[in-house]
Amino acid sequence: MLQSLKLSLLRKGMLAAALLALAGCTIAKPRTDDPWQKFNRKVYAFNVKVDNAVIRPTAVAYRKITSPNVRRVLSNFFANVRMPITIANDALQGEIKDALKGTGRFVINTTVGFLGFFDPASEMRLPAQETDFAATLAKWGVGEGPYLVLPLIGSTTARDIWRMPVDGRLFDPMGYYSRTHEYELGRQYWPSMMFLVTLRASAIDAENLVEGTYDPYIFYRDAYRQRRLYLLYDGEPPFEAIQQLQGIQEDDIDDLLQQQQDYEKNRDKSDGH
């Protein structure tokens, strides 16, 4: 069912493509090749069939029986439940200030926001941020590796695949709940399944982005990579990194590490003022 994650991330992926003029920090050198494309295309075709047969109809039914307000508060709830993933990885990345902000956001929305169904933290200047263990590996210098499509999971890379077992087992409360409970009909997995349905339902609005594209596989691949690049660079990927990702040039961008350090120092000074 995690194939639906690709669609839910399309809009953010397209936002990343629009950031060509922005400069910021650099992490690990991105990869532009797709050496496993033959395998990936077969898995992609399988995932599309499963999505059309089961996942998308479920998401459509969910949208029919819920109002936009109901979908919004449920999305707020799941975003809040998964906040420990971001908090833990901010700490692992050495972003202590961001980890503290994330903790404040989690506490406020869990209490004042009634378990996260509402989002008063954003009104208190604690906006939502997102990171994961794959971003942690990137900031530790681990390269992206080849692009990979997995059955029922969808787009990932040789590096990004590790965020699923690590975040899911160590930091995700829903993962912990499903491992420590056992109910009839597998009810311990229902929260995770509902989360995936909400993701797929939100992606329906973005489906028109792929209509008429010459090669949907390439569209999804590039959208995924662009979205990940956007996340790794905190929304400010450097022009050179996007060029590398798109295959415009193959120059080594490791020398931009100094720019990352300078950027972080300047950001810390600005936050201090």
Side-chain angles (χ1 to χ4, degrees), residues 46-258:
F46 168 79
N47 287 344
V48 169
K49 291 180 181 179
V50 174
D51 181 70
N52 290 336
V54 179
I55 302 174
R56 189 181 187 281
T58 302
V60 170
Y62 166 75
R63 287 174 64 99
K64 288 183 178 179
I65 63 175
T66 57
S67 67
N69 286 337
V70 169
R71 293 195 294 272
R72 187 185 70 255
V73 297
L74 287 176
S75 295
N76 289 343
F77 170 78
F78 285 118
N80 188 65
V81 168
R82 291 172 56 82
M83 194 65 199
I85 296 175
T86 291
I87 296 170
N89 281 287
D90 275 334
L92 290 174
Q93 294 166 25
E95 301 288 350
I96 304 304
K97 185 178 296 185
D98 288 340
L100 291 175
K101 289 181 179 179
T103 301
R105 176 181 173 82
F106 178 70
V107 171
I108 290 171
N109 282 351
T110 301
T111 55
V112 182
F114 298 98
L115 300 180
F117 287 106
F118 302 96
D119 184 17
S122 292
E123 299 178 3
M124 301 172 67
R125 298 184 179 180
L126 290 172
Q129 294 181 325
E130 180 183 358
T131 190
D132 52 42
F133 188 69
T136 298
L137 290 176
K139 294 201 174 184
W140 288 352
V142 178
E144 180 186 19
Y147 176 72
L148 177 64
V149 183
L150 295 179
L152 304 181
I153 292 176
S155 296
T156 186
T157 66
R159 179 187 64 206
D160 290 0
I161 194 174
W162 291 100
R163 65 191 171 110
M164 289 177 277
V166 174
D167 288 337
R169 185 163 189 84
L170 298 181
F171 308 133
D172 185 2
M174 288 190 294
Y176 175 80
Y177 177 82
S178 63
R179 290 194 311 274
T180 56
H181 295 77
E182 186 173 352
Y183 302 116
E184 294 181 357
L185 304 177
R187 285 179 294 161
Q188 66 271 21
Y189 298 106
W190 289 8
S192 296
M193 294 174 64
M194 187 62 189
F195 168 64
L196 296 178
V197 170
T198 62
L199 284 182
R200 184 62 182 90
S202 66
I204 290 178
D205 292 332
E207 289 180 344
N208 62 341
L209 293 174
V210 293
E211 292 180 0
T213 58
Y214 177 75
D215 191 336
Y217 166 81
I218 291 178
F219 179 87
Y220 280 120
R221 182 194 66 192
D222 293 349
Y224 174 82
R225 282 176 156 173
Q226 290 166 1
R227 190 262 170 181
R228 293 300 297 177
L229 191 68
Y230 178 88
L231 182 148
L232 295 179
Y233 287 91
D234 298 324
E236 297 181 340
F239 179 67
E240 293 86 349
I242 298 179
Q243 284 183 314
Q244 177 100 13
L245 179 70
Q246 295 177 337
I248 298 174
Q249 62 182 32
E250 296 296 332
D251 296 333
D252 192 337
I253 64 169
D254 287 342
D255 60 334
L256 294 176
L257 179 59
Q258 186 60 47

